[in-house]
Amino acid sequence: LKLRETSKSRASALETELEELSQKSDELTVQLYNHKKVLGEREERIQELEHDRVELQARVDMQDTELTSLRNLCDHLAATKVGLEEEQRSRSRRFTFLHAPVMCSLALAAFLQHRPG
């Protein structure tokens, strides 16, 4: 009889322990589910951020290309300006060289017309 009571008591204790372990297992399953859910959300966010990073890098590359084109255009315009300035100076020298004798002749003629006597 005592053995039967001890067995019943032991069985009851084991059932209680089994219920506690089952409850703990359920809690851990819920925690695992929640962690997996959070992990999935984070992975999704990481993918979104990676997609944004790729788009931003593409924009940076495009702007870098545009900047290079603008620098090349500025270099070309600067070279054109220098060429035009040199051409203008050359024309100015030619004008002075070709027209100086004419101007001197006109000045001499005017002087001779207006001199007394």
Side-chain angles (χ1 to χ4, degrees), residues 1-112:
L1 186 65
K2 189 155 178 118
L3 185 60
R4 187 177 274 184
E5 286 179 18
T6 304
S7 292
K8 282 184 180 181
S9 174
R10 181 72 180 135
S12 178
L14 288 174
E15 280 182 22
T16 302
E17 187 177 346
L18 180 61
E19 286 176 15
E20 290 173 357
L21 288 174
S22 178
Q23 185 178 356
K24 185 67 174 173
S25 175
D26 291 345
E27 290 172 7
L28 290 173
T29 300
V30 169
Q31 285 181 4
L32 179 61
Y33 171 79
N34 288 336
H35 287 305
K36 283 184 178 182
K37 183 179 174 185
V38 168
L39 182 62
E41 291 169 354
R42 286 182 181 168
E43 287 175 352
E44 186 177 312
R45 182 67 180 138
I46 287 170
Q47 289 176 354
E48 290 171 359
L49 290 172
E50 178 62 18
H51 177 74
D52 291 349
R53 186 196 67 76
V54 168
E55 284 183 355
L56 287 172
Q57 186 61 50
R59 277 204 259 161
V60 165
D61 292 345
M62 187 173 61
Q63 288 176 349
D64 189 44
T65 300
E66 289 175 1
L67 181 60
T68 300
S69 295
L70 287 172
R71 284 183 179 147
N72 291 339
L73 179 60
C74 285
D75 291 346
H76 175 72
L77 290 174
T80 301
K81 179 184 175 201
V82 167
L84 290 173
E85 288 172 347
E86 288 175 2
E87 185 178 327
Q88 182 64 35
R89 281 193 297 275
S90 174
R91 283 184 183 175
S92 180
R93 283 192 297 271
R94 275 188 267 141
F95 177 80
T96 301
F97 177 74
L98 296 174
H99 293 89
V102 173
M103 295 299 205
C104 286
S105 298
L106 290 174
L108 181 59
F111 174 74
L112 292 175

